[in-house]
Structures are given as C-alpha cells and as structure tokens.
Amino acid sequence: MEEERAFSTGKLFQSLGNFCRKFLFRILSVGPIPSHIAFIMDGNRRYAKKNDLEEGSGHKAGFITLMSMLKYCYELGVKHVTIYAFSIENFKRKPEEVQYVMDLMQEKIEGLLKEESIVNQYGIRVYFIGNLKLLNEPVRAATERAMIATANNTKCVLLICVAYTSSDEIVHAVQESCRHKWDEIRTSNGVKKDKWDDIVESKGLKIDKGDEIQELNGVESEEKLEECRVIQLVDLEKHMYMAVAPDPDILIRSSGETRLSNFLLWQSTNTLLSCPRALWPDMGLWHFVWAVLNFQQKYSYLEKKKKQL
C-alpha cells in the first residue's frame, strides 16, 4: 500500500514538473529561440570524486544529464545541439579510463538506435564529428551505424564531437581545401588525375605545381591560374567537420570553467558563452533556462555583431 502511494505521488510530481516546464518553455518561445546550442560537458570525474563514487560513475551520471539537456533543447525548439564528448587530448588519459569511456560510448550509441530512444522520439539526425579514424573499430562501426540509421530524420540534429579538437578540424579543412583546389587546377588545364600522377612519377621529382602546369599545358592565363590557386574563406568553411550545422548561438560549459579547450574555436566568433558553476551531472533545467534568457537579452547585440562581419 505504501509503495503504491509513493508511486502515485512520484507520478503526480513528474506530471506537475512536465506541465511547469512546458509552460515555462512557452513563455521563453515568445523571444528569439537559439538555433544551435553547444555543450562542453565538464566535471564528470570531479562529480564522482565529490560524491565518493567510482570514477566511471561520473560519466554515467553525466549521460543522464545529457539526455535531460537534449530533451530541454528539442522541447524548446532548438534545431541543432552539439556536445563535446571526447577530445583528441583525452586519449592521453589513463588507458583504463579511455577504454571505459569508449565502452560506455559504444553502449550509449547502440541505445540511440532503439525504438524508444530520444533520437526516434524527436526525429533527430545524428552526426559524429571529428577524426573518427582515431576511434577503435567497434566504436567507429557504431558511429557509422547510427549516422546511417538516422540519415532520414529531419526534425532536429545532434552533433557528437568525438576524437575532436578545433586545431585538428582546421588542419583538416586546410588540407582538404588544398587538395580540392589542386584538383580544380588540374581540371582547368585538361590534365586527368591518372595522367598527372604518371607524369609526376616518371619525372621522379616533387616539382613546383605552377611550373608543372606551364610545362604540361604550354600557355596558361596568369589571371586564371592565380584565381585557381587562391583558397578563399568559403573553401575552408566548406571542408570543416562542422560544416553540416550553423555556428552555435550559445556555448554552455559546466563546472565554472571559462576556457573553450580547443572546441569550436572557428565557429564561436559570435557565440554567447555560459559557464555555470555546477558540475555537468549537477546541471539542471534552471541552468539551461538562464542561458537561454541571457541569450534573448543579448540577442540584438549579437545579431548586430554578426552583420558587421
């Protein structure tokens, strides 16, 4: 009898909480809603230490908080959410901790594919962002399955940054832009890739590309050549890992830290930073609401700054 009464009371408070949250979000929706919110989930290990828990328990608690934050975002109408799940620098941690996180990540990725998951509930398309070849094979395979399985979802987007740093993303974008531009130069000079590679190989030299073009094609317009050579800002942005989403409107980092830690450095020029003191597993609805209210208060200023670029 007591158990039934406690269960009924719990359901009542849950229903009341859901009603209050939806009412609050309806009020917030009168103002501008951020299109993209990014999270740096900092403090999982400190949470476990503070509460005398096993080290891995902090990451599990952090995942529960993540599910709540995703629900808040999508209920409010935020279309893009990005989370910093695992940095390239994190591979330097103790091997057993890295392995634990990889195993937990694989387990939770598989969970996203279940029928009752938040991904299917809200129609979320999932992208895994970063240097995915650094992941072990089981985790990499799980990320690929998740991206394929959610490819037709169109309501919202979840970007999970794993094996990611901004410096790696920028280097990748530069490399890909150079490779793509070089392909354009070859094409504009009528030299097929296979033929080009054969010629370079037969010379046995690393020849200056401009010299090779002139040698292979004779007369070439200097203006056209210079146009082909120049890499524009748009070329780099097109080859960023994060090119699939707009720049974030808000970046929330828990635990009171005010560093970006090599996360979305390129994309955060006009992003509002929010750094609540709560450790990530302690983050709740009011931390989220406060960040959105702060964004709405500064919205006009942020939009003005964007137009000045």
Side-chain angles (χ1 to χ4, degrees), residues 146-178:
M147 287 190 284
I148 292 172
T150 62
N152 294 325
N153 292 348
T154 57
K155 291 183 180 179
C156 313
V157 175
L158 171 62
L159 302 104
I160 304 174
C161 293
V162 293
Y164 171 92
T165 60
S166 266
S167 54
D168 178 74
E169 179 184 29
I170 294 169
V171 169
H172 166 82
V174 171
Q175 291 173 338
E176 289 301 308
S177 297
C178 290

Side-chain angles (χ1 to χ4, degrees), residues 17-276:
N18 290 338
F19 172 79
C20 292
R21 185 177 70 250
K22 291 178 180 179
F23 179 74
L24 180 60
F25 285 176
R26 183 159 297 210
I27 296 174
L28 285 176
S29 65
V30 174
I33 299 299
S35 172
H36 185 176
I37 298 180
F39 293 94
I40 299 178
M41 304 180 294
D42 191 22
N44 289 330
R45 293 189 297 172
R46 276 173 283 171
Y47 174 85
K49 185 176 181 180
K50 184 181 76 171
N51 292 281
D52 295 322
L53 303 173
E54 294 180 1
E55 195 168 282
S57 298
H59 295 294
K60 288 185 177 179
F63 181 79
I64 295 173
T65 298
L66 171 60
M67 292 298 101
S68 296
M69 287 295 169
L70 290 179
K71 182 170 67 173
Y72 300 156
C73 284
Y74 298 132
E75 285 184 356
L76 183 61
V78 179
K79 296 299 183 183
H80 297 82
V81 177
T82 298
I83 60 171
Y84 200 8
F86 198 80
S87 165
I88 290 176
E89 297 299 319
N90 291 151
F91 283 109
K92 297 177 182 178
R93 292 179 177 178
K94 294 182 294 185
E96 55 270 24
E97 182 183 353
V98 173
Q99 186 59 51
Y100 179 87
V101 173
M102 289 293 112
D103 292 342
L104 181 63
M105 192 180 300
Q106 182 181 352
E107 174 190 334
K108 299 308 180 183
I109 292 172
E110 298 290 354
L112 291 177
L113 301 179
K114 294 180 179 178
E115 188 68 29
E116 68 278 9
S117 74
I118 190 172
V119 165
N120 293 308
Q121 182 180 352
Y122 291 98
I124 301 170
R125 180 168 188 176
V126 178
Y127 289 97
F128 285 88
I129 304 295
N131 195 345
L132 302 185
K133 65 184 179 183
L134 297 179
L135 300 174
N136 61 38
E137 180 56 34
V139 175
R140 186 166 62 250
T143 64
E144 292 172 356
R145 287 195 299 273
M147 287 190 284
I148 292 172
T150 62
N152 294 325
N153 292 348
T154 57
K155 291 183 180 179
C156 313
V157 175
L158 171 62
L159 302 104
I160 304 174
C161 293
V162 293
Y164 171 92
T165 60
S166 266
S167 54
D168 178 74
E169 179 184 29
I170 294 169
V171 169
H172 166 82
V174 171
Q175 291 173 338
E176 289 301 308
S177 297
C178 290
R179 187 175 295 111
H180 181 76
K181 187 63 65 174
W182 189 228
D183 288 343
E184 287 183 355
I185 293 174
R186 280 201 301 253
T187 302
S188 68
N189 283 272
V191 181
K192 294 181 178 180
K193 185 178 187 305
D194 293 340
K195 180 180 177 182
W196 182 275
D197 293 340
D198 290 342
I199 293 171
V200 173
E201 185 177 352
S202 66
K203 290 179 180 291
L205 297 170
K206 291 184 178 179
I207 301 171
D208 179 80
K209 304 307 181 183
D211 293 341
E212 270 191 88
I213 290 171
Q214 293 176 2
E215 183 176 345
L216 291 169
N217 204 40
V219 180
E220 178 68 26
S221 167
E222 189 64 28
E223 291 183 1
K224 182 179 178 183
L225 185 58
E226 285 303 318
E227 183 180 340
C228 286
R229 282 175 172 170
V230 176
I231 293 178
Q232 305 288 345
L233 179 64
V234 66
D235 297 316
L236 292 179
E237 292 185 336
K238 183 170 61 177
H239 291 99
M240 290 283 177
Y241 294 139
M242 290 291 296
V244 295
D247 292 348
D249 298 299
I250 307 173
L251 195 159
I252 300 174
R253 175 166 188 162
S254 55
S255 79
E257 293 287 350
T258 54
R259 296 174 293 110
L260 291 180
S261 295
N262 215 344
F263 179 57
L264 303 186
L265 301 181
W266 185 278
Q267 296 84 1
S268 57
T269 303
N270 290 294
T271 298
L272 181 66
L273 302 181
S274 179
C275 304

